[in-house]
Amino acid sequence: SCNCYLFFLVVLFQRLGVMLFFFFQAEDGIRDAQESRGLGDVYKRQVLDGLRQIVVEGGVKGLWFGVKPAMYRTVTLSSMQLATYDGVKELSVTKLGLSEFDIRVHFIAGAASAFAVMVAMNPLDVILTRSYNNGSQHIKAKSTSVPGIMKEIVAVEGVQGLYKGSLALWSRLAPHFICTFILLEQLRNLRPSIWSV
């Protein structure tokens, strides 16, 4: 049926995306191909060099730099993603009269979930980036707290300053959420047949 082909395409594109990610990450990570003993060696050196540099420059405390804004971001992502998906899925079923198992419902709910996450999370991404750049020699912000950085951005750039890069964020989140939720719902549909065997 149509759902089987769509399910196959979703899985195929997810696998292709993962392979491309690792390929380009590997290309970015190779500094000196003659000294490298393979990709594992490159990643091991990068991680260990990065950790050593952070500890040398900022002490052990430097390893925790930016944790607070990152926690706000993670909590926002998780709570908005699932709550919005379930709410829009229910609305699609009741208001549009679609079946709960219709792939269009999962597509709509996944795209709406990505939009809601983008609206809630993009300001935190901008604040997180400014927080990380705060220690840079080129950027010296007046504040280091999340509310302080937010006030500075709004005072200088307006509210739209909090939404820099929002289209790029949604463009990245929407395909991921749509594929993830379609796959999730297809696996939920398989569950009764698997348990009845």
Side-chain angles (χ1 to χ4, degrees):
S1 82
C2 180
N3 283 347
C4 287
Y5 292 118
L6 191 55
F7 178 72
F8 174 75
L9 286 175
V10 167
V11 172
L12 179 69
F13 284 126
Q14 280 186 328
R15 297 300 172 248
L16 180 63
V18 168
M19 288 186 303
L20 288 173
F21 170 78
F22 282 115
F23 174 77
F24 286 112
Q25 284 294 100
E27 290 297 313
D28 288 345
I30 296 175
R31 288 189 227 144
D32 189 359
Q34 287 78 26
E35 291 182 22
S36 177
R37 293 187 306 270
L39 291 179
D41 181 54
V42 171
Y43 291 130
K44 182 179 174 186
R45 279 189 287 137
Q46 284 181 339
V47 170
L48 295 177
D49 288 347
L51 289 172
R52 184 187 50 74
Q53 185 177 354
I54 291 169
V55 170
V56 166
E57 291 178 9
V60 175
K61 185 179 175 186
L63 294 171
W64 299 101
F65 184 74
V67 165
K68 193 181 285 186
M71 286 189 318
Y72 292 141
R73 180 189 184 279
T74 303
V75 166
T76 301
L77 169 80
S78 299
S79 59
M80 290 299 293
Q81 178 187 26
L82 299 174
T84 305
Y85 177 79
D86 285 339
V88 172
K89 180 181 167 187
E90 185 178 321
L91 276 174
S92 297
V93 170
T94 57
K95 299 292 183 188
L96 299 176
L98 298 170
S99 166
E100 181 182 349
F101 305 107
D102 192 333
I103 212 157
R104 294 175 294 177
V105 170
H106 311 142
F107 185 92
I108 293 166
S113 176
F115 182 77
V117 167
M118 181 270 300
V119 168
M121 195 174 73
N122 202 79
L124 295 171
D125 277 345
V126 171
I127 292 167
L128 185 63
T129 301
R130 300 279 171 99
S131 171
Y132 287 154
N133 290 336
N134 223 357
S136 165
Q137 59 198 14
H138 305 293
I139 301 169
K140 292 294 179 196
K142 295 174 187 164
S143 178
T144 57
S145 69
V146 171
I149 294 172
M150 182 181 271
K151 286 178 190 174
E152 284 180 30
I153 293 169
V154 171
V156 174
E157 303 171 42
V159 175
Q160 66 269 20
L162 295 171
Y163 287 94
K164 286 184 174 180
S166 58
L167 181 61
L169 179 62
W170 187 81
S171 298
R172 183 175 60 84
L173 290 177
H176 171 71
F177 284 14
I178 291 167
C179 290
T180 299
F181 284 121
I182 287 174
L183 182 62
L184 171 73
E185 295 295 345
Q186 294 300 318
L187 290 173
R188 281 184 181 167
N189 291 343
L190 290 175
R191 185 178 52 199
S193 63
I194 292 172
W195 290 113
S196 65
V197 173

Coordinates of all heavy atoms in Angstrom, one line a residue, residues 1-17 103 175 178-180 182-183 186:
S1 N 0.8 -1.2 0.0 CA 0.0 0.0 0.0 C 0.9 1.2 0.0 O 2.1 1.2 0.1 CB -0.9 0.0 1.2 OG -0.3 0.4 2.4
C2 N 0.2 2.4 -0.1 CA 0.9 3.7 -0.1 C 1.8 3.9 1.2 O 2.9 4.4 1.1 CB -0.1 4.8 -0.3 SG 0.7 6.4 -0.4
N3 N 1.2 3.5 2.3 CA 1.9 3.7 3.6 C 3.2 2.9 3.6 O 4.2 3.4 4.2 CB 1.0 3.3 4.7 CG -0.1 4.4 5.0 OD1 0.0 5.5 4.5 ND2 -1.1 4.0 5.8
C4 N 3.2 1.7 3.0 CA 4.4 0.9 3.0 C 5.5 1.6 2.2 O 6.7 1.7 2.7 CB 4.2 -0.4 2.4 SG 3.3 -1.5 3.5
Y5 N 5.2 2.2 1.1 CA 6.2 2.9 0.3 C 6.7 4.1 1.0 O 7.9 4.4 1.0 CB 5.6 3.3 -1.1 CG 5.4 2.1 -2.0 CD1 4.1 1.8 -2.4 CD2 6.4 1.2 -2.4 CE1 3.9 0.7 -3.2 CE2 6.2 0.1 -3.2 CZ 4.9 -0.1 -3.6 OH 4.7 -1.2 -4.4
L6 N 5.8 4.9 1.6 CA 6.2 6.1 2.3 C 7.0 5.7 3.5 O 8.0 6.4 3.8 CB 4.9 6.8 2.8 CG 5.1 8.2 3.3 CD1 5.9 9.1 2.3 CD2 3.8 8.9 3.6
F7 N 6.7 4.7 4.2 CA 7.5 4.2 5.3 C 8.9 3.9 4.9 O 9.9 4.3 5.5 CB 6.8 3.0 6.0 CG 7.6 2.4 7.1 CD1 7.7 3.1 8.3 CD2 8.2 1.2 7.0 CE1 8.4 2.5 9.4 CE2 8.9 0.6 8.0 CZ 9.0 1.3 9.2
F8 N 9.0 3.2 3.7 CA 10.3 2.8 3.2 C 11.1 4.0 2.8 O 12.3 4.1 3.1 CB 10.1 1.9 1.9 CG 11.4 1.6 1.2 CD1 12.3 0.7 1.7 CD2 11.7 2.3 0.0 CE1 13.5 0.4 1.1 CE2 12.9 2.0 -0.6 CZ 13.8 1.1 -0.1
L9 N 10.5 5.0 2.2 CA 11.2 6.3 1.8 C 11.6 7.0 3.1 O 12.7 7.6 3.1 CB 10.2 7.2 1.0 CG 10.0 6.7 -0.4 CD1 9.0 7.6 -1.1 CD2 11.3 6.7 -1.2
V10 N 10.8 7.1 4.1 CA 11.2 7.8 5.3 C 12.5 7.1 5.9 O 13.5 7.8 6.2 CB 10.1 7.8 6.4 CG1 10.6 8.2 7.7 CG2 9.0 8.7 5.9
V11 N 12.5 5.8 6.0 CA 13.7 5.1 6.5 C 14.9 5.3 5.6 O 16.0 5.6 6.1 CB 13.3 3.6 6.7 CG1 14.6 2.8 7.1 CG2 12.3 3.4 7.8
L12 N 14.7 5.2 4.3 CA 15.8 5.4 3.4 C 16.4 6.8 3.5 O 17.6 7.0 3.6 CB 15.3 5.2 1.9 CG 16.3 5.4 0.8 CD1 17.3 4.3 0.9 CD2 15.6 5.5 -0.5
F13 N 15.6 7.9 3.6 CA 16.1 9.2 3.7 C 16.8 9.4 5.0 O 17.8 10.2 5.1 CB 15.0 10.3 3.5 CG 14.6 10.4 2.0 CD1 13.3 10.3 1.6 CD2 15.6 10.7 1.1 CE1 13.0 10.5 0.3 CE2 15.3 10.8 -0.2 CZ 14.0 10.7 -0.6
Q14 N 16.3 8.8 6.1 CA 16.9 9.0 7.4 C 18.3 8.3 7.3 O 19.3 8.9 7.8 CB 16.1 8.3 8.5 CG 15.0 9.2 9.0 CD 14.3 8.6 10.2 OE1 14.2 7.4 10.3 NE2 13.8 9.5 11.0
R15 N 18.4 7.1 6.8 CA 19.7 6.5 6.7 C 20.7 7.3 5.8 O 21.8 7.4 6.1 CB 19.5 5.0 6.1 CG 18.7 4.1 6.9 CD 19.3 4.0 8.3 NE 18.4 3.2 9.2 CZ 17.8 3.8 10.2 NH1 18.0 5.0 10.6 NH2 17.0 3.0 11.0
L16 N 20.2 7.8 4.7 CA 21.0 8.6 3.8 C 21.5 9.8 4.5 O 22.7 10.2 4.4 CB 20.2 9.0 2.6 CG 21.0 9.9 1.5 CD1 22.1 9.1 1.0 CD2 20.0 10.3 0.4
G17 N 20.7 10.5 5.3 CA 21.1 11.7 6.1 C 22.2 11.3 7.1 O 23.1 12.1 7.2
I103 N -1.3 9.0 7.5 CA 0.1 9.5 7.5 C 0.0 11.0 7.3 O 1.0 11.7 7.8 CB 0.9 8.8 6.4 CG1 2.3 8.7 6.8 CG2 0.7 9.5 5.0 CD1 3.1 7.6 6.1
P175 N 12.0 18.4 8.7 CA 12.1 17.1 8.1 C 12.5 16.0 9.2 O 12.0 14.9 9.1 CB 13.3 17.3 7.2 CG 13.4 18.7 6.9 CD 12.9 19.4 8.1
I178 N 9.2 15.3 11.2 CA 8.2 14.6 10.3 C 8.6 13.2 10.2 O 7.8 12.3 10.4 CB 8.0 15.4 9.0 CG1 7.3 16.7 9.2 CG2 7.3 14.5 8.0 CD1 7.4 17.6 8.0
C179 N 9.8 12.9 9.8 CA 10.3 11.6 9.6 C 10.2 10.8 10.9 O 9.8 9.6 10.9 CB 11.7 11.6 9.1 SG 11.9 12.2 7.4
T180 N 10.7 11.4 12.0 CA 10.7 10.7 13.3 C 9.3 10.3 13.7 O 9.0 9.1 14.1 CB 11.3 11.6 14.4 OG1 12.6 11.9 14.0 CG2 11.2 10.9 15.7
I182 N 6.5 10.0 11.8 CA 5.9 9.1 10.9 C 6.4 7.7 11.2 O 5.7 6.7 11.3 CB 6.2 9.5 9.4 CG1 5.3 10.7 9.0 CG2 5.9 8.3 8.5 CD1 5.6 11.2 7.6
L183 N 7.7 7.6 11.4 CA 8.3 6.3 11.8 C 7.8 5.8 13.1 O 7.4 4.6 13.2 CB 9.8 6.4 11.8 CG 10.6 5.2 12.1 CD1 10.4 4.1 11.1 CD2 12.1 5.5 12.3
Q186 N 4.3 4.5 12.5 CA 4.3 3.2 11.8 C 4.7 2.1 12.7 O 4.1 1.0 12.7 CB 5.2 3.3 10.6 CG 4.8 4.3 9.5 CD 3.4 3.9 9.0 OE1 3.1 2.8 8.7 NE2 2.6 4.9 8.8

